[in-house]
Amino acid sequence: MNTILVGAQWGDEGKGKIIDVLTEDADIVVRTQGGNNAGHTVFLGPKKYILHLIPSGILRPGKQCVIGNGVVLDPVGLVGEIDGLLKLGIRVRGGKRGNLVVSETAHVVFPWHRELDGLREQRKGSKKIGTTKRGIGPTYGDKTARVGLRVVDLIHPERFEVMLRERLKENNAVIRALGGKVISYKKIREEYSQAADRLRPFVANTVVMLNEATQAGRRILFEGAQGTFLDIDHGTYPFVTSSNTTSGGACTGSGVPPNRMDRVVGVMKAYTTRVGEGPLPTENAEISDLLHGMGREFGSTTGRARRCGWFDAVATRHATMVNGIDELAITNIDGLDTVKEIKVCTGYRLNKRILQHVPADCEALARCQPVYTTFPGWLEATHEIKRFRDLPERCRRYLDEICRLTGAKLRIASVGPAREQTMFL
Ligand code: GDP
Ligand code: IMO
Ligand code: MG
């Protein structure tokens, strides 16, 4: 059984928590796109783990984790994450018996990518994307322009030094022209060589490994990062990330073909959030203030306050379409426990017409006014409820309705960040 898990909204849907839960029934967990712009939170008892590059499956003993070819990898960041996990009691090891494998063809993030990310944002001024400044866009840009360095280049010192020198020359010229801070060859060579030495035992041909594993009947879980509306093709361009966050990205980013995939699970919050700029039709101050007041909805990677809004069924229905979502996991249901009247967006009003789909043009989306249906709140705490049938009737009705509107089957309901606060249907 191979499962692709995707975010059905704008990222931060609670994918980390659901991946951790689903890892119990998987042998291998793979990241296939994005980089350390992601922040996936998992709680084990009182301990909080935030994974950026390493698949969330790493927290379960005996599971193998893979960073696939579609990921952009910051080697210094990855070494830091491995050391950070060790401090929290999780050993990450390479080699035959290890629990982490890194693709030799994943592209490498360099300091000039981060510098350019920041400079471009600065120059855009009020039109900025609100990136995580992790260099993700410039790294994927180099990949597509066929001038990127890959992990296999990083771990071969002689080749690496030549390529580094050449790339740095061009990038420093660009940085200088944009008024940024030029980057020292010596410093990068030292830092990246040290990271390469640490990472060498982890590096392998993950495409062959994953296909052999599939043939041997091992169960793979593909851990999506970001969310559908941050997809470079299907999101609210240009306010998106630079990878395919939708289900197709799991195939290209791993080398496992579509006909080996068995199901697609979409994760969504019971409401909507977005961090960074760009349209968010159901954005609403009342729900934002409520959630922030409870200390919720601050970014796991940058700490920025997330923008919040009502559940947008037009968007999630679109997500079902482009991802082929079979099953839904709804998280953060408890976030609505104290709301008297809950709104759900069922259509977009644009130029006196009611749309049932997300317009492809981001400027049109920004002008859409949500059409709402209102549901009575359940006004009861749900944190401790263990079975779906024990949820308040109004809550069940709300969940059934948002799944019906989204067009997929409800499979998991989550009422808190912990493993135990999860119900299966
Ligand atoms: P991801 O990027 O999709 O993995 O999501 P993040 O980890 O960035 O953000 C989701 C936040 O919601 C994290 O703080 C989780 O611990 C938290 N979370 C996940 N599911 C639930 C839930 O059902 N209830 C509550 N209260 N928090 C949840
Ligand atoms: P997870 O996996 C939410 C957003 C940024 C910005 C845009 C582009 O935790 O859900 P980038 O740095 O990728 O070039 O930024 O994408 N973004 C995310 N928002 N969750 C994420 O990851 C995100 N990764 C990137 O805020 O708007
Ligand atoms: Mg996140």
CSV table of all heavy atoms in Angstrom, one decimal, residues 318-338:
chain,number,residue,atom,x,y,z
A,318,HIS,N,-11.4,22.0,-5.2
A,318,HIS,CA,-10.4,22.2,-6.2
A,318,HIS,C,-9.2,21.3,-5.9
A,318,HIS,O,-8.6,20.6,-6.8
A,318,HIS,CB,-10.0,23.6,-6.3
A,318,HIS,CG,-9.2,24.0,-7.5
A,318,HIS,ND1,-9.7,24.5,-8.7
A,318,HIS,CD2,-7.8,23.8,-7.8
A,318,HIS,CE1,-8.8,24.6,-9.6
A,318,HIS,NE2,-7.6,24.3,-9.1
A,319,ALA,N,-8.8,21.2,-4.6
A,319,ALA,CA,-7.7,20.4,-4.2
A,319,ALA,C,-8.0,18.9,-4.4
A,319,ALA,O,-7.1,18.2,-4.8
A,319,ALA,CB,-7.4,20.6,-2.7
A,320,THR,N,-9.2,18.5,-4.2
A,320,THR,CA,-9.6,17.1,-4.4
A,320,THR,C,-9.4,16.8,-5.9
A,320,THR,O,-8.9,15.7,-6.3
A,320,THR,CB,-11.1,16.9,-4.0
A,320,THR,OG1,-11.2,17.1,-2.6
A,320,THR,CG2,-11.6,15.5,-4.3
A,321,MET,N,-9.8,17.8,-6.8
A,321,MET,CA,-9.7,17.6,-8.2
A,321,MET,C,-8.2,17.4,-8.6
A,321,MET,O,-7.9,16.5,-9.3
A,321,MET,CB,-10.4,18.8,-8.9
A,321,MET,CG,-10.3,18.7,-10.4
A,321,MET,SD,-11.2,20.1,-11.1
A,321,MET,CE,-10.1,21.5,-10.8
A,322,VAL,N,-7.4,18.3,-8.2
A,322,VAL,CA,-6.0,18.3,-8.8
A,322,VAL,C,-5.1,17.2,-8.1
A,322,VAL,O,-4.1,16.8,-8.7
A,322,VAL,CB,-5.3,19.7,-8.8
A,322,VAL,CG1,-6.0,20.6,-9.7
A,322,VAL,CG2,-5.1,20.2,-7.4
A,323,ASN,N,-5.5,16.8,-6.9
A,323,ASN,CA,-4.7,15.8,-6.3
A,323,ASN,C,-5.3,14.4,-6.4
A,323,ASN,O,-4.6,13.4,-6.1
A,323,ASN,CB,-4.6,16.1,-4.8
A,323,ASN,CG,-3.8,17.3,-4.4
A,323,ASN,OD1,-2.6,17.3,-4.6
A,323,ASN,ND2,-4.4,18.3,-3.9
A,324,GLY,N,-6.5,14.3,-6.8
A,324,GLY,CA,-7.2,13.0,-6.7
A,324,GLY,C,-7.4,12.5,-5.3
A,324,GLY,O,-7.1,11.3,-5.0
A,325,ILE,N,-7.8,13.4,-4.4
A,325,ILE,CA,-7.9,13.0,-3.0
A,325,ILE,C,-9.0,11.9,-2.8
A,325,ILE,O,-10.1,12.1,-3.3
A,325,ILE,CB,-8.1,14.2,-2.1
A,325,ILE,CG1,-6.9,15.2,-2.1
A,325,ILE,CG2,-8.4,13.8,-0.6
A,325,ILE,CD1,-7.2,16.5,-1.4
A,326,ASP,N,-8.6,10.8,-2.1
A,326,ASP,CA,-9.6,9.7,-1.8
A,326,ASP,C,-10.1,9.9,-0.4
A,326,ASP,O,-11.3,9.8,-0.2
A,326,ASP,CB,-8.9,8.4,-1.9
A,326,ASP,CG,-8.3,8.1,-3.2
A,326,ASP,OD1,-9.0,8.1,-4.2
A,326,ASP,OD2,-7.0,7.9,-3.3
A,327,GLU,N,-9.2,10.2,0.5
A,327,GLU,CA,-9.6,10.3,1.9
A,327,GLU,C,-9.1,11.6,2.5
A,327,GLU,O,-8.1,12.1,2.1
A,327,GLU,CB,-8.9,9.1,2.7
A,327,GLU,CG,-9.4,7.8,2.1
A,327,GLU,CD,-8.6,6.6,2.8
A,327,GLU,OE1,-7.8,6.9,3.7
A,327,GLU,OE2,-8.9,5.5,2.5
A,328,LEU,N,-9.9,12.0,3.5
A,328,LEU,CA,-9.6,13.3,4.2
A,328,LEU,C,-9.2,13.1,5.6
A,328,LEU,O,-9.8,12.3,6.3
A,328,LEU,CB,-10.8,14.3,4.1
A,328,LEU,CG,-11.1,14.8,2.7
A,328,LEU,CD1,-12.5,15.5,2.8
A,328,LEU,CD2,-10.0,15.7,2.2
A,329,ALA,N,-8.2,13.9,6.1
A,329,ALA,CA,-7.9,14.0,7.5
A,329,ALA,C,-8.2,15.4,7.9
A,329,ALA,O,-7.6,16.3,7.3
A,329,ALA,CB,-6.4,13.6,7.8
A,330,ILE,N,-9.1,15.6,8.8
A,330,ILE,CA,-9.4,17.0,9.3
A,330,ILE,C,-8.8,17.2,10.6
A,330,ILE,O,-9.0,16.5,11.6
A,330,ILE,CB,-10.9,17.2,9.4
A,330,ILE,CG1,-11.6,16.9,8.0
A,330,ILE,CG2,-11.2,18.7,9.8
A,330,ILE,CD1,-13.1,17.2,8.0
A,331,THR,N,-8.0,18.3,10.7
A,331,THR,CA,-7.3,18.6,12.0
A,331,THR,C,-7.8,19.9,12.6
A,331,THR,O,-8.6,20.6,12.0
A,331,THR,CB,-5.7,18.8,11.7
A,331,THR,OG1,-5.6,20.0,11.0
A,331,THR,CG2,-5.1,17.6,10.9
A,332,ASN,N,-7.4,20.1,13.8
A,332,ASN,CA,-7.7,21.3,14.5
A,332,ASN,C,-9.2,21.6,14.6
A,332,ASN,O,-9.6,22.8,14.7
A,332,ASN,CB,-7.0,22.5,13.8
A,332,ASN,CG,-5.5,22.5,14.1
A,332,ASN,OD1,-5.0,23.1,15.1
A,332,ASN,ND2,-4.7,21.9,13.2
A,333,ILE,N,-9.9,20.5,14.7
A,333,ILE,CA,-11.4,20.7,14.9
A,333,ILE,C,-11.7,21.4,16.2
A,333,ILE,O,-12.5,22.3,16.3
A,333,ILE,CB,-12.0,19.2,15.0
A,333,ILE,CG1,-11.9,18.6,13.6
A,333,ILE,CG2,-13.5,19.3,15.4
A,333,ILE,CD1,-12.1,17.1,13.6
A,334,ASP,N,-10.8,21.2,17.2
A,334,ASP,CA,-11.0,21.8,18.5
A,334,ASP,C,-10.8,23.3,18.5
A,334,ASP,O,-11.3,24.0,19.4
A,334,ASP,CB,-10.0,21.2,19.5
A,334,ASP,CG,-8.5,21.3,19.0
A,334,ASP,OD1,-8.3,20.8,17.8
A,334,ASP,OD2,-7.6,21.8,19.7
A,335,GLY,N,-10.2,23.8,17.4
A,335,GLY,CA,-10.0,25.3,17.3
A,335,GLY,C,-11.4,26.0,17.1
A,335,GLY,O,-11.5,27.2,17.4
A,336,LEU,N,-12.4,25.2,16.8
A,336,LEU,CA,-13.7,25.9,16.6
A,336,LEU,C,-14.7,25.6,17.8
A,336,LEU,O,-15.8,26.0,17.7
A,336,LEU,CB,-14.4,25.4,15.3
A,336,LEU,CG,-13.6,25.7,14.0
A,336,LEU,CD1,-14.3,25.0,12.8
A,336,LEU,CD2,-13.5,27.2,13.8
A,337,ASP,N,-14.1,25.0,18.8
A,337,ASP,CA,-15.0,24.6,20.0
A,337,ASP,C,-15.8,25.7,20.6
A,337,ASP,O,-16.9,25.5,21.1
A,337,ASP,CB,-14.1,24.0,21.1
A,337,ASP,CG,-13.7,22.5,20.8
A,337,ASP,OD1,-14.1,22.0,19.7
A,337,ASP,OD2,-12.9,22.0,21.5
A,338,THR,N,-15.2,27.0,20.5
A,338,THR,CA,-15.9,28.1,21.2
A,338,THR,C,-16.6,29.0,20.2
A,338,THR,O,-17.0,30.1,20.7
A,338,THR,CB,-14.9,28.9,22.0
A,338,THR,OG1,-13.9,29.4,21.1
A,338,THR,CG2,-14.2,28.0,23.1
